[in-house]
Amino acid sequence: MGSVRRAMYFITGLGMVAGGILSVVLPEVAVSVILLVLRLWLTLAGIRYIMYYISMARHMVDGIYVLYKGIFLFDIGIFSLWFDNLPPLYAMMFLVFNLAFAGGIDVLRANEQRRLEVSDWLFKMLFGIFQILIAFTCFFFLNSVRAVTIVYGIGLGYSGIVRIILAFRRRAIVYTQ
C-alpha cells in the first residue's frame, strides 16, 4: 500500500470514528450527516470510476465493467440525494442494509483468502462477521431509531479503528527477477 493510500485509509478511519462518536452522542443529527456523506461518497466514487474508464480502463480487458460500476454508483448516489425527506427509519434501513452487504462481502473475501492461504484472512473474517452482527442487532432494534443509530455508531467507530490499523500495518512485498 502506497503512502497516499495509507493516508486516505487513515483519514477515512478518522472520519468513521468521528461519525461513530457523533452517532452515539447526537443520534438525531447523526442519521442525516452520515447519509449525506454516504450519498456524496457514492456520487463521487461513481464519477471517479467513470473518469478512470475514460482515461485507462477502456483499453483493458473487461474494462467495460469499470464503466458499469461507475454508472451504477453514480446513479445510486444521485438517486439517494433525491430522497432527502425520507423518515429516519427508512434511512437507517438503508444504512443497515449497506452494513450487512459490506460485511457479507468481507466474509466472502476472507474465505477466498483462506483458500489462497493468505496470512491475515482471519482478521478480515472476524471484521466481516462483526459487521453482520451489528447489522442484525440494528434489525432487532429497528423500532427505535435512536437505538439503531447508537448501535450503528458503535459499528461505524469500530470500522474506523480497523481502517486506522490497516493504514499502519506493514505489508510484505515480494520482488522477483
Side-chain angles (χ1 to χ4, degrees), residues 15-160:
M16 291 171 79
V17 169
I21 291 171
L22 179 70
S23 296
V24 171
V25 174
L26 298 170
E28 298 81 22
V29 177
V31 175
S32 59
V33 171
I34 291 172
L35 277 174
L36 178 66
V37 169
L38 183 64
R39 291 167 177 166
L40 290 175
W41 179 85
L42 285 170
T43 305
L44 293 175
I47 292 171
R48 191 183 88 209
Y49 278 112
I50 291 170
M51 296 304 293
Y52 177 66
Y53 172 77
I54 290 170
S55 66
M56 187 186 296
R58 65 183 170 163
H59 303 293
M60 296 168 31
V61 175
D62 289 337
I64 193 74
Y65 293 114
V66 173
L67 179 65
Y68 294 155
K69 185 176 182 179
I71 291 172
F72 179 74
L73 289 175
F74 182 75
D75 286 346
I76 293 291
I78 294 297
F79 185 70
S80 66
L81 281 172
W82 283 346
F83 295 116
D84 200 26
N85 298 328
L86 278 177
L89 177 67
Y90 295 129
M92 287 307 300
M93 285 175 46
F94 176 71
L95 289 174
V96 169
F97 279 125
N98 186 15
L99 184 68
F101 184 73
I105 294 294
D106 286 342
V107 167
L108 291 174
R109 283 184 181 164
N111 193 27
E112 181 181 357
Q113 288 179 348
R114 181 186 56 83
R115 280 186 272 136
L116 296 174
E117 298 175 3
V118 176
S119 62
D120 64 344
W121 69 270
L122 184 61
F123 181 73
K124 290 183 181 182
M125 178 71 78
L126 292 176
F127 179 63
I129 290 171
F130 181 78
Q131 284 181 318
I132 292 171
L133 287 176
I134 288 290
F136 281 134
T137 305
C138 288
F139 283 128
F140 181 71
F141 292 115
L142 206 53
N143 292 332
S144 171
V145 175
R146 182 177 176 85
V148 170
T149 307
I150 291 171
V151 171
Y152 184 82
I154 291 169
L156 190 64
Y158 175 75
S159 299

